Amino acid sequence: MISRCFFRYLKQTSLADYVAFRSFSRSQQTPAAVTSSFIDSLRTAVGDNNVSTSDAIREQHGHDESHHEVYKPDVVVFAESVEQVSKVAKLCNEKKVPLIPFGSGTGLEGGVNALSGGVTLDVTKMNQIVEVNAEDFDCTVQPGVMRIALNSYLRDTGLWFPIDPGADASICGMCATSASGTNAVRYGTMRENVLNLQVVLPDGRVIHTAGKGKRCRKTSAGYNLTNLFVGSEGTLGIITQATIKLYGLPEKTIAAVCHFKTVQEAVDTVVQIMQSGITMAKLEFLDDKAIEAFNKFSKYNMPVAQSLFLEFHGPALGLEDQFNTVKDLIELNGGLGLQMATDEDERKRLWKARHEMLWACTALIPGSKPYSTDICVPISHLPEVIIKTKQWIDEAKVLAPVLGHVGDGNFHVILPMTLDTGQNEIMKALALQIALLAMDLNGTCTGEHGIGMGKCHLLEKEIGPVGIQVLKDVKKCFDPNGIMNPGKIIS
Ligand SMILES: Cc1cc2c(cc1C)N(C[C@H](O)[C@H](O)[C@H](O)COP(=O)(O)OP(=O)(O)OC[C@H]1O[C@@H](n3cnc4c(N)ncnc43)[C@H](O)[C@@H]1O)c1[nH]c(=O)[nH]c(=O)c1N2
Ligand SMILES: CC(=O)C(=O)O
Ligand SMILES: [Mn+2]
């Protein structure tokens, strides 16, 4: 039942937008034509052992880590080669069966949920690191290569791939969602770090978005096909290989944590640090509710306050000077309890709260699943948006920690969703209100998690009807039968 509190709360939101959001419906999806003879042809294409109709496997592939409802595919196919991916795509295209690429299922917007059934294509068996060009700072990987495995492999070369979405995701899944995370403030997002992609198109053709074997740092050669596929969330084709930039492991790392009495002080400090031109590696905010959730989850005793988590990477020479400049800014803004560490174990201990945040927040309500907002605004608007957001959370009386990558103007409100529909309605209205505010302030509804199945209505608002029509035209050009991950990004 929807509570009176909800209606009181709704008065503050744009009612018209809320009604539009509630009545938003996906265009009718045709049910998948997955017959037993179609499944037989899949078995012929990839081998019996690589096709599963087991309920447990379909369930496992029908959701990610988000709160979104499970939608099981009719069948799960495990591909072992590009040729097999191509054959499966061709078969699906001929029979107009939905095809959903599956990386590692850590997404937070229901990207892998099979809204119209069909075939989920799991690429985790294709897990080879194809080549590492240490002298050129790049490498090429198959779609099942995971972020942590890649970095372990690279360790001896003195290089690493710094994009870190927190979860141990597949590199090609990260390409597909244009992931980023804590290191983006220094190293950029997937958009800035992908040099080339091999993609299987829905009709089975294979393309290299920058040309076969190309891995140059710059190109002006025509349309940017690579970045059309980065962030395409499995709606245009299956990424079967990614060539990405690598970086030298930093000679020295300094981690630090400090606390503030008010959100304004903490976020003003962030803006001043960014404006000072210091190259931060990480600059994260956790509010008092987030720290409280972490203390409870991990039995820690951090001061319950508005907190900044910082990290500096660089040559040993000069790094402490950067730290000291930031320290001065922290103190000028009323920062308290500054702790710093250079030793790896000590750094990990200092940053533990940040890395466990999603699970600490979800544990606030046992059995809940996370609904994470993901807005990103120009940095000068950040103080206003975070302060308003926290005020709305208080008024809505929901459990909702605020945290995020504030160095990029990107933050999350983690809303633990349960079966209590009244609370869920309040949380969804709150998420909508925050997204609308971000868009009003020249921002986006999603900095890094993608549109998935949960933000299509917001994308329409963000880029307008003409923008959406152009996206639909692009989609039609690559996927005229609409088989690729239907219902995602554009409904
Ligand atoms: C604890 C925690 C913390 C975070 C996050 C998750 C969790 C569980 N995430 C979200 C998530 O890790 C991120 O979206 C990853 O990029 C998802 O990669 P997967 O391999 O799991 O893709 P997953 O399998 O979930 O698929 C995601 C989407 O990509 C498509 N896809 C996957 N592989 C593909 C391929 N080979 N070809 C074409 N399409 C493909 C899918 O169809 C789907 O639409 C995140 N993210 C972030 O950016 N910043 C963050 O800070 C965090 N933090
Ligand atoms: C959930 C997420 O994106 C984060 O913890 O940063
Ligand atoms: Mn994040």
Side-chain angles (χ1 to χ4, degrees):
M1 220 191 35
I2 296 177
S3 67
R4 290 222 315 271
C5 162
F6 171 68
F7 288 109
R8 258 202 327 269
Y9 173 68
L10 192 59
K11 277 183 205 147
Q12 301 158 5
T13 71
S14 153
L15 192 54
D17 276 312
Y18 183 73
V19 170
F21 157 62
R22 293 298 298 154
S23 53
F24 177 85
S25 65
R26 299 166 199 290
S27 50
Q28 198 64 42
Q29 308 294 333
T30 31
V34 179
T35 59
S36 54
S37 74
F38 178 74
I39 293 177
D40 284 345
S41 50
L42 290 172
R43 291 188 200 284
T44 309
V46 299
D48 276 357
N49 292 341
N50 284 330
V51 177
S52 176
T53 53
S54 113
D55 202 47
I57 301 282
R58 292 191 299 119
E59 161 92 24
Q60 186 203 337
H61 286 79
H63 68 92
D64 57 11
E65 296 286 2
S66 68
H67 71 287
H68 291 295
E69 199 184 331
V70 176
Y71 287 85
K72 291 188 260 187
D74 294 280
V75 54
V76 177
V77 172
F78 297 84
E80 293 190 41
S81 67
V82 185
E83 292 70 33
Q84 288 188 351
V85 172
S86 171
K87 279 184 193 166
V88 172
K90 232 185 223 162
L91 285 168
C92 289
N93 202 35
E94 274 161 23
K95 298 287 181 206
K96 299 190 171 53
V97 170
L99 177 58
I100 303 107
F102 187 97
S104 53
T106 69
L108 292 174
E109 268 310 339
V112 295
N113 300 29
L115 297 181
S116 320
V119 174
T120 287
L121 185 64
D122 183 317
V123 290
T124 48
K125 287 189 178 180
M126 297 169 67
N127 59 1
Q128 297 303 303
I129 295 167
V130 180
E131 63 177 15
V132 176
N133 298 297
E135 65 284 15
D136 293 327
F137 295 79
D138 67 56
C139 72
T140 298
V141 298
Q142 288 189 337
V145 171
M146 306 293 284
R147 180 179 68 79
I148 292 178
L150 175 63
N151 279 329
S152 305
Y153 182 90
L154 290 171
R155 210 172 173 81
D156 289 345
T157 64
L159 300 174
W160 69 316
F161 182 62
I163 315 306
D164 176 1
D168 186 18
S170 73
I171 299 289
C172 289
M174 288 167 61
C175 294
T177 60
S178 188
S180 46
T182 47
N183 284 320
V185 66
R186 171 159 189 157
Y187 300 95
T189 73
M190 291 307 283
R191 287 212 193 272
E192 292 83 39
N193 283 287
V194 181
L195 297 172
N196 202 351
L197 294 172
Q198 182 191 60
V199 178
V200 174
L201 298 177
D203 61 8
R205 285 179 299 163
V206 180
I207 58 163
H208 297 262
T209 54
K212 194 168 180 184
K214 305 291 183 289
R215 49 186 182 84
C216 37
R217 291 281 156 153
K218 288 173 64 174
T219 169
S220 309
Y223 300 131
N224 191 337
L225 264 189
T226 304
N227 262 336
L228 184 55
F229 282 91
V230 174
S232 62
E233 301 186 43
T235 63
L236 300 179
I238 307 110
I239 303 170
T240 44
Q241 193 169 284
T243 302
I244 51 179
K245 294 183 191 173
L246 300 176
Y247 295 79
L249 280 164
E251 186 188 353
K252 182 167 179 174
T253 299
I254 299 177
V257 175
C258 62
H259 314 287
F260 294 86
K261 288 206 182 99
T262 66
V263 177
Q264 185 82 49
E265 286 170 354
V267 188
D268 282 350
T269 309
V270 170
V271 176
Q272 288 166 26
I273 292 171
M274 295 310 291
Q275 287 170 347
S276 75
I278 288 175
T279 321
M280 296 300 302
K282 300 180 182 177
L283 185 44
E284 300 276 315
F285 170 76
L286 265 64
D287 78 347
D288 49 344
K289 302 283 183 334
I291 301 285
E292 214 173 333
F294 166 71
N295 282 343
K296 201 169 155 199
F297 183 66
S298 286
K299 313 214 170 1
Y300 260 53
N301 199 17
M302 286 187 77
V304 175
Q306 320 306 331
S307 305
L308 289 185
F309 287 63
L310 309 95
E311 200 168 282
F312 305 76
H313 294 174
L317 195 69
L319 201 64
E320 275 194 32
D321 293 342
Q322 292 189 21
F323 170 77
N324 285 330
T325 307
V326 169
K327 182 171 171 244
D328 289 347
L329 286 174
I330 289 170
E331 282 166 4
L332 269 174
N333 284 291
L336 303 164
L338 178 67
Q339 293 183 66
M340 67 93 93
T342 50
D343 168 75
E344 189 173 353
D345 288 343
E346 191 55 19
R347 283 193 274 117
K348 274 194 187 141
R349 196 192 60 77
L350 263 192
W351 267 73
K352 188 172 160 68
R354 177 60 189 97
H355 293 309
E356 291 184 357
M357 228 346 94
L358 190 68
W359 308 128
C361 296
T362 326
L364 286 171
I365 303 185
S368 66
K369 301 278 271 169
Y371 181 2
S372 170
T373 70
D374 181 34
I375 64 129
C376 185
V377 291
I379 192 95
S380 62
H381 289 310
L382 193 66
E384 176 186 352
V385 184
I386 295 194
I387 286 164
K388 271 232 167 83
T389 296
K390 281 190 61 70
Q391 187 191 320
W392 289 337
I393 291 170
D394 287 347
E395 286 165 5
K397 297 189 174 55
V398 290
L399 266 175
V402 177
L403 54 120
H405 320 290
V406 282
D408 295 314
N410 178 207
F411 73 89
H412 312 299
V413 178
I414 308 292
L415 301 153
M417 303 287 269
T418 59
L419 292 175
D420 171 356
T421 51
Q423 275 289 82
N424 286 356
E425 287 303 310
I426 294 173
M427 290 187 184
K428 284 181 184 167
L430 179 63
L432 175 69
Q433 182 161 311
I434 297 164
L436 293 175
L437 174 64
M439 289 189 223
D440 272 353
L441 295 174
N442 313 106
T444 174
C445 65
T446 176
E448 55 178 22
H449 296 162
I451 297 294
M453 62 185 278
K455 295 198 174 97
C456 302
H457 60 291
L458 290 174
L459 182 63
E460 288 196 13
K461 184 112 191 147
E462 189 161 320
I463 65 168
V466 179
I468 286 286
Q469 189 51 54
V470 172
L471 288 196
K472 286 184 175 168
D473 292 345
V474 170
K475 163 91 173 160
K476 201 146 200 111
C477 163
F478 285 91
D479 181 21
N481 291 330
I483 63 159
M484 291 306 305
N485 209 357
K488 309 297 166 56
I489 301 188
I490 36 183
S491 59

